[in-house]
Amino acid sequence: MNYKRSSALFAQAESVIPGGVNSPVRAFKAVGGTPIFVKEAKGAYLYDEDGNKLIDYINSWGPMILGHAYEPVVNAVIEKAKKGTSFGMPTEIETQIAELAVSMVPNIDKIRFVNSGTEACMSAIRLARGFTGKDKIIKFAGCYHGHSDSFLIQAGSGAITFGSPNSPGVTKGTAKDTLLAIYNDIESVKALFEANKEEIACIIIEPVAGNMGCIPPKDGFLNDLRNLCNEHNILLIFDEVMTGFRLAKGGAQELFNINADIVCFGKVIGGGLPVGAFAARNEIMNYLAPLGPVYQAGTLSGNPLAMAAGLTMLEALNNDSEVFTRLAEKTEYLHKGFTEVLNNNRINHKINRAGSMISIHFTEENVVDFETSAKGNNETFKKFFHGMLEEGVYIAPSAFETWFITDALTYDDLDFTIEAVNKVASKL
Ligand code: HOZ
């Protein structure tokens, strides 16, 4: 394929935007080459600036669960825009989407809308700290909760006691309040509880991890976390930015039948516009300003265009009783197809899947946490990524990202993708 125009646009972007991109993973640093510039997209397909058509498995990193330029969402945004694009004042549609979200998701009474998943998670831990009166949080290595300071933390030398910044600009003071546990390892959580008695406000987790590839929780793991949190009076936060309104109407809480204390949303809830949200039962949400002492605000929060897109998307999902089953079936179909062709080509691999999230890892070991994910062969992944691109299939330009399946994919698209994997695998 020819990417001349994308390369030229990237060079132009590099002179005025750091690294040529507004979010680092888009720069293709993990796979080499230059990023593809999108001209437009419709349904399951991207059309780039060089005229290439690609089947899209990123889907804007999740929001496009019903495909790109989904007509009801596009129309809702157009109609709303004609009536004004931002007021910084309450509008009725905010209550409408809040009512719908609260009716779809188990165990929440109130929801507050923000502009991104990063904001949602940042606000959720502030609320948890304010509500419990404690400072420390536990996150899991490899889980990503956006780029606010408290989350850009890696395990320090004394991992049992506190973490250390993994980005300059994050202070040691902030890092000392974030503790790192190991995904799917309840003993690592217990050890942190033991060493930090009475100091931990909350645990935040992606109930299915999507930022070290797709990693589902082991049987019983989320339940064990829930029980530990109950025992120690610690809040459990589910970061459902990826899983919310994707794994089921009620997200991972519904799928795994586990109640979280605070739930964070992004991606699907905005229908492709910048929306995040966090939600909990009354007792916790009433701790937020203006009712309570924990401050959180935003001029563009509850923006009418974003709310129109989000409401239309949630309505579409709420009115389609089969959509989550269809998505899971399509993902399972890919899983079976990939397994067959990768095995036929004798490629060492593991495939992880949950609902409509899936990832291929080039490793022999089961991928259950960050360490096992990092053992994947990145040289093989790079070849695989570029091979798939040549075949007309766009996957995330990093082995640490999950693929997101859209309902716009047809079984012909899935067969095409499986055959692409087959052709690429034969050259790996
Ligand atoms: N945070 C995303 C990766 N999990 C990347 C977002 C983007 O580049 O748009």
Side-chain angles (χ1 to χ4, degrees), residues 241-306:
V241 168
M242 287 183 176
T243 53
F245 307 100
R246 172 168 282 280
L247 295 189
K249 246 189 224 183
Q253 285 195 102
E254 178 184 324
L255 188 72
F256 299 112
N257 194 22
I258 309 274
N259 285 348
D261 295 302
I262 305 179
V263 191
C264 304
F265 298 105
K267 303 190 187 283
V268 173
I269 199 170
L273 268 78
V275 182
F278 57 107
R281 55 186 188 270
N282 278 324
E283 176 198 13
I284 298 174
M285 289 308 271
N286 291 347
Y287 227 73
L288 271 183
L291 287 182
V294 173
Y295 192 69
Q296 181 278 323
T299 297
L300 289 169
S301 295
N303 171 269
L305 302 193

Side-chain angles (χ1 to χ4, degrees), residues 139 141 153-160 162-166 178-182:
K139 80 174 281 288
I153 307 295
Q154 63 204 351
S157 50
I160 274 293
F162 54 81
S164 67
N166 70 1
T178 300
L179 310 169
L180 271 288
I182 300 168

Side-chain angles (χ1 to χ4, degrees), residues 356-421:
S356 54
M357 296 162 68
I358 186 168
S359 56
I360 302 177
H361 302 258
F362 295 105
T363 173
E364 281 171 53
E365 210 172 313
N366 287 333
V367 175
V368 295
D369 55 17
F370 181 69
E371 197 183 322
T372 45
S373 177
K375 284 184 184 163
N377 185 328
N378 203 45
E379 288 312 306
T380 307
F381 180 81
K382 282 185 197 174
K383 284 188 210 149
F384 180 71
F385 171 83
H386 286 288
M388 292 298 281
L389 205 51
E390 273 307 297
E391 295 300 326
V393 179
Y394 191 56
I395 61 169
S398 159
F400 289 106
E401 303 285 354
T402 186
W403 304 22
F404 293 102
I405 307 306
T406 165
D407 197 39
L409 285 161
T410 64
Y411 277 85
D412 282 346
D413 294 326
L414 303 181
D415 285 334
F416 182 94
T417 307
I418 293 165
E419 183 48 28
V421 171

